[in-house]
Amino acid sequence: MQRIRLVFCTYCLIGLLLAACTPPQNVPTPYATRTLSAPGIVPSATIPVFTSEELYGGTEQFSGGLGQSDLTAASLPSRGVLPPDVVSTPDSANEEAQVVITLDDGTLLQADLYVPENVTAVDQVTNRPGVLLIAPDRVGWGLLPAQLQVAGLTALVVDVPATHEDLTTILTSLSEAPGVDPGRLGVIAAGNTIAPILTACAASEMCDALVLLSPADVVASDVTALNPRPFFLVAANTDAAAYPVALSLSTALTNATFREIAAGEGTGLLSNEGLNDEIANWLSEALAG
């Protein structure tokens, strides 16, 4: 009997020793428990935040606009084009708005948009003509865009894009701008921008009237292919390259107006007194509804 008690006590002692060595998480509880077998929640990865200067090397060319925030973009059909996206509004009604145009490859093209004062709503009942101005330097147009604006025309001023396909996209974007009649689009091109705009006009069939300043390096067939659209040709009689071409085109086209200037080339022709008003009036008549 004593031997049995000794064995029992020995087992109890061993049990107590084992219980004392049991890890805390495995200590029995007075109620049922469950252990989570799935991985626990861990902190998210740290994402570094950089300034515009660190990312782009400066802030001069970075406006903060990474793209167009247009809720209708998702509903655009294939090859659809968004209207110009305003990135800064003018201080007064007679000033231009800074806009960007999204090209087919996603590139954002900087541009200036001059909207007539009474064209403010997307659902404008009476749409106005739109005019695209393209030159090697969009600053060279001087007061002409503002005069087109005063004449009731929406003017879009852009730098020369890479391809004529981009010009087609720009024309389409202008046609989508609020208050613009897509069936009444004009183009003013100067110098070496004339050839690509002629190609874009022929491909898109969107140009209803064209003003060409110093049309030197152009192929006559590219111009006559746009017959019978109205043309306004301007060249200085001192310009040995552009003057004979403009004179020849004025006779080859069925609806052409030729304006001879004493001096100047490209947008420099606009310094001649009265030419800006003459172009604005001609476009207003040529694009009249």
Side-chain angles (χ1 to χ4, degrees):
M1 187 68 178
Q2 292 180 349
R3 185 176 180 180
I4 294 175
R5 289 179 179 176
L6 179 61
V7 173
F8 177 76
C9 291
T10 301
Y11 280 117
C12 289
L13 181 60
I14 293 173
L16 291 173
L17 291 174
L18 292 175
C21 296
T22 302
Q25 62 268 26
N26 293 329
V27 174
T29 59
Y31 48 84
T33 60
R34 291 185 179 181
T35 303
L36 182 64
S37 61
I41 299 176
V42 296
S44 301
T46 302
I47 301 176
V49 178
F50 300 99
T51 64
S52 299
E53 186 171 359
E54 291 171 332
L55 284 173
Y56 304 101
T59 58
E60 294 79 7
Q61 302 299 324
F62 180 69
S63 65
L66 297 179
Q68 291 207 29
S69 299
D70 192 319
L71 297 179
T72 64
S75 62
L76 283 176
S78 176
R79 300 185 182 276
V81 178
L82 290 168
D85 185 31
V86 178
V87 295
S88 67
T89 55
D91 296 330
S92 66
N94 293 326
E95 294 182 2
E96 76 276 13
Q98 304 296 317
V99 299
V100 292
I101 298 172
T102 305
L103 303 180
D104 290 343
D105 62 355
T107 302
L108 297 181
L109 181 69
Q110 305 291 328
D112 301 318
L113 184 66
Y114 295 76
V115 180
E117 184 176 359
N118 60 342
V119 179
T120 57
V122 175
D123 57 349
Q124 186 76 21
V125 176
T126 304
N127 287 338
R128 301 296 185 91
V131 180
L132 172 64
L133 294 87
I134 177 171
D137 180 10
R138 71 177 191 264
V139 181
W141 292 108
L143 297 176
L144 179 58
Q147 289 181 262
L148 295 172
Q149 180 187 39
V150 172
L153 308 174
T154 297
L156 179 65
V157 184
V158 301
D159 292 323
V160 184
T163 66
H164 72 269
E165 288 85 359
D166 290 337
L167 284 171
T168 302
T169 300
I170 295 169
L171 283 167
T172 306
S173 181
L174 173 60
S175 72
E176 296 290 338
V180 172
D181 185 349
R184 292 189 290 163
L185 297 182
V187 171
I188 308 177
N192 58 8
T193 66
I194 294 177
I197 197 63
L198 291 175
T199 303
C201 288
S204 65
E205 299 184 348
M206 297 181 66
C207 307
D208 301 296
L210 297 94
V211 177
L212 307 183
L213 307 180
S214 300
D217 299 325
V218 297
V219 179
S221 59
D222 291 343
V223 181
T224 55
L226 297 173
N227 264 326
R229 294 172 178 82
F231 278 80
F232 190 90
L233 308 170
V234 186
N237 51 28
T238 56
D239 189 339
Y243 182 78
V245 174
L247 190 60
S248 174
L249 291 176
S250 66
T251 59
L253 292 166
T254 58
N255 189 1
T257 300
F258 176 52
R259 180 73 160 83
E260 181 179 333
I261 300 296
E265 183 178 344
T267 55
L269 294 169
L270 300 175
S271 60
N272 289 272
E273 185 177 357
L275 183 58
N276 284 351
D277 289 331
E278 192 172 346
I279 291 175
N281 293 335
W282 182 87
L283 280 170
S284 296
E285 294 178 4
L287 298 174

